[in-house]
Amino acid sequence: MRVSNVTVRKRLAAVLLIGVLIFSIIDIRLGYVQLILGDGLTEKAKNSWSRSIPFEPKRGEILDRNGVPLATNMSAPTVYVVPRQVENPAETAEKLAKVLNMPVEEAYKHVTKKTLIERIPEGRKISNEKAREIRDLNLKGVYIAEDTKRYYPFGSYLSHVLGFTGIDNQGLTGLELYYDKELKGHKGSVEFYSDAKGKRMPNMADRYTPPTDGLNLELTIDSRIQTIVERELDIAEAKYNPDGIIAIAMDPNTGEILAMSSRPTFDPANYRNVPSEIYNRNLPVWSTYEPGSTFKIITLAAALEEKKVNLLKDHFYDPGYVKVAGATLRCWKRGGHGSETFLEVVQNSCNPGFVALGERLGKEKLFDYIKAFGFGQKTGIDLQGEGTGILFDMKRVGPVEQATTAFGQGVSVTPIQQVAAVAAAVNGGILYTPYIAKQWIDPETGEVISRNTPKAKRRVISEETSKQVRFALESVVAQGTGKGAFVEGYRVGGKTGTAQKAKNGRYLKDDYIVSFIGFAPADDPKLVVYVAVDHPKGTVQFGGVVAAPIVGKIMEDSLRTIGVKPRKGQIEKERAWNDPKVVEVPNLEGLTKKDLQEQLFNLKLDVSGEGDVVIDQAPQPGVKVKEGATIRVYMGTKSGSR
Amino acid sequence: MSQKKSTPDFLLILLTFSLLAIGLIMVYSASAVWAEYKFHDSFFFAKRQLLFAGVGIIAMFFIMNVDYWVWRDWSKVLLIICFVLLVLVLIPGVGMVRNGSRSWIGVGAFSIQPSEFMKLAMIAFLAKYLSEHQKKITSFKQGMLPALALVFAAFGMIMLQPDLGTGTVMVGTCITMIFVAGARISHFVGLGMVGLAGFAGLVLSAPYRIKRITSFLNPWEDPLGSGFQMIQSLYAIGPGGLLGLGLGQSRQKFFYLPEPQTDFIFAILAEELGFIGGSLVLLLFSLLLWRGVRIAFGAPDLYGSFLAIGIISMVAIQVMINIGVVTGLMPVTGITLPFLSYGGSSLTLMLMAIGVLLNISKHARY
């Protein structure tokens, strides 16, 4: 068969038809992409074109309850390089490296990096002086951006509670981490459209979103009390060279933490200088250990609430040990305390006496109260890394476990649990959730955005029982093991504790945590202070000897600072032979020099000022001071006196 | 056979010049940013393209006046030269690698792509073969197979570079010519089956081709790798909408779409001139196809007819593949858009081919 021209003509027509058909299909596809997919593609394309330059918000400051800044921000400029704008990379790198103290090759790598904006690590958060040096170099493509660095004006002060931030001002530990979201605020940005090489594209508008600064956090901490606590811990650390110290001060009527500190401590600015377990563990809430005798307060409160004991009328005989289910539990005093009232049992911290109280309560009641006082669960304080502690498994509590628990052995608790529990025992019976964030403040307006209020968990004991506990514990300080915490006029109550440290289920030899938990004034407690010293050296390891005086000091200065008036009707201190005598300061005003020499037989004088008549004195008349203490008097003329 | 010479197809010249003009404007618009960045001269590419166009137009008018039978007489020699060049280009040191393919031969600006010339030589030779063996074309063994064997030998050589785009255009063109010559439809169906299998084999033999296939189906799978060009192309076309962003207003030409003046120039055109502009260009190409087929209809002999359909289908297939790629209908192959894309050898060769077509039109009777 011969192909005719007709076939060729037909086929040519077919080619034209098919060709036009394919062009039409392509045109339909073009229309589909442009008109139907268009909007979606435009959105995606815009994302690919837009570049966003972040605007850092200012991190909220942390203040104490009186507005004293504890964590604030410091200007710390940061060097940015826009590699595309650098004219002479070699020279720029060399000059930058010199100021920033880095290898030239490193600097060169950053300066020539193919990126929109490059941050040189060594150029982050530098000093204002260095920033000025770089600015003076006048390098093309090198910019200094305003940035901030966290600054802790008091150094290691309150460092565990405050924590610290990382290079991006993000909270890493402590409150900085716990409240990071509120403190950090929200980043803002400038979004602009750029070409693929990072240059601004013409004819497209920028979008600016301003940053929202973080909120200022006002704490329940009272820096005045914190200062006192820090000072006392420094002294104790120097004196006893302990493995660690823990201190908490709390308002028992609200759960507000007024001070919290521990040793070893660290400076947030140089946290890398200490092992991570030091800055990561806030011991007052983290550590768990056997409380020892401070735990007896719980047994006492429970027994009183359940009316199982009359402190003054009921008597107990302590032979120095007690046999429980075949086991012999010894009293800390060899030979025992003999016959004593239950008030004396408390004063003497007599173990067999508390075993008896535990037996009167019974296992169920005893553990009910322990749990009601908040042991065995977290207090819920707003701090990172709180411990839970361990109680005996109820199924495994036999007579021995019950007995040891009654005097504070075989249980494991945290310091903050003890503080919260004792606060409940003395404040009238209400257990509060301890807290440390008082309120959030708008940094611009100073307006309070939100406020934390005291959170009562439950009533644990009655007002009346609480009153009896206060009385018993005041007598511990005035007449019992807690004399070291006695403060003239402030009616300190409290309880000592000495707990043998355990490791791998065995007690360590000669290694104790000695503690004291105190409150004052006993008629209306304003302050609960707990101090524990871990393995003090060069001393008898007794809570009454080591920890009680620290609490006493903290109590005395803190109560005076926050304006609590000294009380009358204090239980008088029972004097030991080595106790210094206390005398009342007489009124010296109006006396002449001659009078003074005759009057003051048991006090020293520090006289200043000109004149022959006393016009002022310190301490004021009526204050009790140790015998031989110095009284400062100021002399003036009679007419000048008030 | 010789007829009295008449005038060339002016509409074809007009269409060619229209496309050239659009191409020049778009090359400038698409390349200005890139040219300014690289050469500190926003007209760098536009000026060179203008020069190529000038050379091409002169060549076109020159060839328009060369009677097309010359190509029949010289086609065998040209084909052999092209085969030799295709062998030479594969030798490292002689052939130069650009964009992953060893397709270039020569020195610097005076380098050529032998495969481009092969396309034209093959059309010239196949037209001769088909016109001489038209009687046997219905026979597979005696008519179709020798033609196909030759075409696929050339295709095989081109794929060694590899240059899938040019190879595909050449094969498509030749099959169109064989189809027009009157080969049996059943042979095409069988051939299609074999071709499909062969294509699958080719794709599977080189992993980068698989990537191109998958990236065309879902470019967002690998947005920075194989899907990159496709995505950037769609980011240009999509926002163009109906009317476009306006001439010169492309955003994707700001270094997002790589070398926007070459293979993806249609994307920038669709971005700036919208669906209307894109459709206009497609319409111009459709009219060009119509004029080409019309010349094939009117050609005084079968050789002229086959040569004309070969040339116009080469242009049309290249347009279809290029715009098909740009709009995401096809995997990325890397061929230029005739008359619009920047590029000296592509443009001058296209214009020379149109010159041949014009010469046939001068002899045509409708």
Side-chain angles (χ1 to χ4, degrees), chain A residues 199-212:
Chain A
K199 272 174 69 182
R200 192 175 292 260
M201 253 204 275
N203 308 327
M204 290 184 81
D206 294 353
R207 263 187 305 189
Y208 176 64
T209 325
T212 318

Side-chain angles (χ1 to χ4, degrees), chain A residues 378-532:
Chain A
K378 291 180 181 178
T379 63
I381 188 170
D382 45 350
L383 279 174
Q384 211 68 37
E386 192 186 355
T388 311
I390 308 163
L391 301 180
F392 279 119
D393 183 355
M394 279 303 276
K395 279 173 250 156
R396 292 180 45 206
V397 174
V400 179
E401 287 76 16
Q402 178 193 312
T404 60
T405 302
F407 59 84
Q409 280 182 18
V411 289
S412 163
V413 304
T414 64
I416 192 70
Q417 280 173 344
Q418 295 188 65
V419 170
V422 170
V426 302
N427 70 4
I430 308 223
L431 182 71
Y432 285 96
T433 301
Y435 66 102
I436 201 152
K438 195 172 170 64
Q439 51 197 18
W440 291 99
I441 296 166
D442 186 307
E444 297 268 312
T445 61
E447 225 174 279
V448 175
I449 305 274
S450 74
R451 194 179 306 240
N452 280 343
T453 46
K455 254 188 247 128
K457 274 189 186 145
R458 63 185 85 92
R459 171 169 289 283
V460 188
I461 53 172
S462 68
E463 291 269 6
E464 180 51 35
T465 306
S466 180
K467 201 172 166 186
Q468 286 191 55
V469 171
R470 292 201 297 268
F471 162 71
L473 295 180
E474 191 187 358
S475 77
V476 169
V477 171
Q479 296 163 351
T481 51
K483 289 199 194 81
F486 186 85
V487 178
E488 200 64 55
Y490 274 123
R491 300 193 61 177
V492 178
K495 183 79 198 72
T496 56
T498 302
Q500 208 166 353
K501 270 158 76 179
K503 202 177 178 186
N504 304 327
R506 285 172 160 272
Y507 283 114
L508 298 173
K509 212 169 179 246
D510 288 330
D511 192 352
Y512 297 88
I513 293 175
V514 298
S515 60
F516 187 85
I517 187 154
F519 62 92
D523 54 326
D524 178 18
K526 295 291 184 211
L527 201 58
V528 171
V529 176
Y530 174 81
V531 170

Side-chain angles (χ1 to χ4, degrees), chain B residues 194-238:
Chain B
V194 175
L196 217 63
F199 185 70
L202 265 180
V203 159
L204 293 174
S205 69
Y208 82 96
R209 294 197 194 102
I210 297 177
K211 267 196 158 182
R212 281 189 175 177
I213 300 284
T214 53
S215 75
F216 128 75
L217 292 172
N218 183 11
W220 277 274
E221 227 165 58
D222 185 9
L224 295 176
S226 55
F228 182 76
Q229 281 180 307
M230 194 72 262
I231 291 175
Q232 297 306 329
S233 178
L234 292 176
Y235 282 174
I237 299 172

Side-chain angles (χ1 to χ4, degrees), chain A residues 283-300:
Chain A
L283 298 178
V285 300
W286 180 85
S287 56
T288 61
Y289 49 85
E290 226 174 45
S293 307
T294 51
F295 201 67
K296 290 172 183 165
I297 298 171
I298 307 309
T299 311
L300 170 69

Side-chain angles (χ1 to χ4, degrees), chain A residues 3 11 27 29 34 49 194 196, chain B residues 179 183 252 256 270 275 279 327:
Chain A
V3 175
R11 294 269 168 109
D27 198 42
R29 165 69 183 180
Q34 296 204 282
W49 299 328
S194 111
Chain B
F179 170 75
Q252 283 295 91
Y256 284 101
F275 180 58
S279 299
T327 54

Side-chain angles (χ1 to χ4, degrees), chain A residues 225 228-229 232-233 246-252 258-260 294 297 415 418-420 422-423 426 485 492-495 515-520 525-532 547-559 562:
Chain A
I225 299 177
I228 293 163
V229 169
E232 288 305 317
L233 294 201
I246 290 166
I248 301 172
M250 190 177 96
D251 182 341
L258 299 171
M260 183 180 278
T294 51
I297 298 171
Q418 295 188 65
V419 170
V422 170
V426 302
V492 178
K495 183 79 198 72
S515 60
F516 187 85
I517 187 154
F519 62 92
K526 295 291 184 211
L527 201 58
V528 171
V529 176
Y530 174 81
V531 170
I550 303 173
V551 172
K553 274 276 178 210
I554 294 172
M555 278 292 185
E556 181 172 7
D557 291 353
S558 300
L559 290 170
I562 61 175

Side-chain angles (χ1 to χ4, degrees), chain A residues 252-422:
Chain A
N253 303 305
T254 56
E256 292 179 352
I257 302 294
L258 299 171
M260 183 180 278
S261 187
S262 56
R263 298 289 181 276
T265 186
F266 66 97
D267 181 351
N270 298 307
Y271 67 88
R272 283 191 187 84
N273 294 352
V274 301
S276 63
E277 58 264 29
I278 289 183
Y279 60 71
N280 275 333
R281 293 174 184 171
N282 186 13
L283 298 178
V285 300
W286 180 85
S287 56
T288 61
Y289 49 85
E290 226 174 45
S293 307
T294 51
F295 201 67
K296 290 172 183 165
I297 298 171
I298 307 309
T299 311
L300 170 69
L304 287 171
E305 178 74 6
E306 292 295 319
K307 307 212 182 329
K308 299 290 187 197
V309 66
N310 185 315
L311 289 178
L312 298 174
K313 287 181 186 153
D314 292 3
H315 281 259
F316 179 75
Y317 183 81
D318 170 27
Y321 62 89
V322 59
K323 278 201 188 280
V324 179
T328 305
L329 303 172
R330 302 202 166 277
C331 187
W332 61 272
K333 187 176 179 185
R334 270 171 208 281
H337 293 98
S339 177
E340 50 189 348
T341 63
F342 269 94
L343 183 63
E344 284 166 327
V345 164
V346 178
Q347 288 173 1
N348 295 331
S349 196
C350 171
N351 289 352
F354 275 92
V355 172
L357 288 181
E359 276 167 0
R360 291 189 191 183
L361 278 164
K363 164 178 144 181
E364 298 293 333
K365 280 270 179 254
L366 177 62
F367 276 84
D368 281 354
Y369 274 98
I370 288 171
K371 281 172 194 153
F373 271 112
F375 293 103
Q377 72 234 20
K378 291 180 181 178
T379 63
I381 188 170
D382 45 350
L383 279 174
Q384 211 68 37
E386 192 186 355
T388 311
I390 308 163
L391 301 180
F392 279 119
D393 183 355
M394 279 303 276
K395 279 173 250 156
R396 292 180 45 206
V397 174
V400 179
E401 287 76 16
Q402 178 193 312
T404 60
T405 302
F407 59 84
Q409 280 182 18
V411 289
S412 163
V413 304
T414 64
I416 192 70
Q417 280 173 344
Q418 295 188 65
V419 170
V422 170

